[in-house]
Amino acid sequence: MSRFTTADGTEILYKDWGSGQPIVFHHGWPLSSDDWDAQMLFFVSKGYRVIAHDRRGHGRSTQTDKGNDMDTYAADVAALAAHLNLRDATHVGHSTGGGEVARYVAQHGHGRVAKAVLIGAVPPLMLKTAANPGGLPMEVFDGFRSALAANRAQFFRDVPSGPFYGFNRPGVEIIPGVVDNWWRQGMMGGAKAHYDCIKAFSETDFTEDLRRIQVPVLVMHGEDDQIVPIADSARLSAPLLRRSVLKTYPGFPHGMATTHADVINADILAFIQG
């Protein structure tokens, strides 16, 4: 693992394995680069250079009390790409990381990005507004903030043991190690950064970012995603993109890159090679 320092003094931890065409992975909230273990190991074995960072305030990066917004997240990625001189990269983002990918590719990625992949991603906008009537009401995100402030450790048990991986569905067996790993990653990060990030992932409008992206984008979404409902995310994002492929997965949960890694990895590989 390595670190670099951004212009405002934030230390960003990143992993950089292998050689060849780069694939950059952007994790969801409130996790870290460790959430991509199954993808990092798979793609490095296929001859790719794989890179994943801990977003500021998350994982082992600086527990920032400022800059916990989507513009700064994207600028941090741009700084990382410049630091590593990345070219012809595929950027893969899950959930909040999908928003980070959309903003980075639209605003900073010209000349550096070949393709992008959005998995269970938050664009175009999660929050219910007059222009986005299918979104989730502010009360949902206020509930996240209240639960985090009251007992972050318990909240970070409840989310993965329930809706994140679909473990609350009848007949779905909880995988304790997956829940423990989610909790471990979440508790490594900073409470202030995690609190602020709820606003970043729920209230940021990525509509114009999606319209500006010119590279091919694979939009992947579980049809039983209880965290980022598909009707107001992937099904709206794909038509806004100039060159999109939409793949949906019946019964798959929000955390499908973990629970169904073999399927997701194979589809990403086919997209990159296509």
Side-chain angles (χ1 to χ4, degrees):
M1 296 182 290
S2 302
R3 295 178 182 270
F4 82 100
T5 303
T6 67
D8 70 353
T10 300
E11 283 196 340
I12 303 291
L13 177 138
Y14 66 92
K15 305 173 187 179
D16 184 1
W17 305 344
S19 58
Q21 182 184 6
I23 306 175
V24 184
F25 295 95
H26 305 243
H27 64 79
W29 174 93
L31 304 174
S32 74
S33 57
D34 291 352
D35 203 44
W36 292 110
D37 284 353
Q39 285 69 45
M40 298 274 284
L41 291 169
F42 175 82
F43 283 99
V44 76
S45 75
K46 298 296 183 182
Y48 291 90
R49 180 184 179 186
V50 294
I51 298 147
H53 68 291
D54 290 0
R55 184 177 302 116
R56 67 168 55 215
H58 295 64
R60 291 142 295 204
S61 293
T62 302
Q63 292 194 7
T64 46
D65 66 345
K66 60 184 178 181
N68 302 308
D69 58 82
M70 204 56 66
D71 285 340
T72 307
Y73 297 158
D76 289 346
V77 175
L80 176 61
H83 176 72
L84 298 177
N85 193 28
L86 300 180
R87 302 282 178 183
D88 195 33
T90 296
H91 284 259
V92 181
H94 174 238
S95 197
T96 299
E100 183 177 274
V101 167
R103 182 136 299 180
Y104 165 73
V105 174
Q107 299 190 8
H108 304 278
H110 182 71
R112 292 190 180 274
V113 178
K115 294 181 178 181
V117 180
L118 306 180
I119 305 174
V122 297
L125 173 62
M126 286 196 74
L127 183 67
K128 181 178 181 178
T129 65
N132 185 44
L136 297 172
M138 180 64 79
E139 290 79 12
V140 171
F141 306 109
D142 286 342
F144 289 175
R145 281 181 278 263
S146 295
L148 188 151
N151 190 335
R152 185 170 64 133
Q154 186 59 51
F155 184 43
F156 285 3
R157 284 284 182 198
D158 295 341
V159 174
S161 62
F164 197 94
Y165 296 110
F167 291 149
N168 58 340
R169 294 305 197 201
V172 178
E173 183 177 352
I174 291 179
I175 306 172
V178 168
V179 175
D180 291 347
N181 191 42
W182 201 101
W183 184 89
R184 175 190 66 85
Q185 291 178 70
M187 293 306 293
M188 287 168 59
K192 176 66 162 61
H194 287 166
Y195 188 96
D196 292 350
C197 188
I198 295 170
K199 178 180 178 68
F201 74 65
S202 64
E203 297 182 41
T204 304
D205 190 339
F206 299 97
T207 301
E208 293 307 315
D209 297 298
L210 297 172
R211 287 176 172 152
R212 290 177 60 181
I213 294 172
Q214 299 187 28
V215 300
V217 181
L218 173 61
V219 180
M220 314 172 79
H221 217 102
E223 294 182 12
D224 193 34
D225 191 323
Q226 301 173 68
I227 303 296
V228 182
I230 188 172
D232 201 57
S233 52
R235 296 201 190 281
L236 299 183
S237 290
L240 292 170
L241 291 157
R242 299 186 187 195
R243 303 165 66 186
S244 67
V245 176
L246 174 62
K247 287 187 71 70
T248 69
Y249 301 83
F252 280 25
H254 187 61
M256 64 183 184
T258 296
T259 58
H260 298 80
D262 54 342
V263 175
I264 301 306
N265 291 351
D267 285 349
I268 295 173
L269 179 62
F271 173 71
I272 293 173
Q273 294 179 338

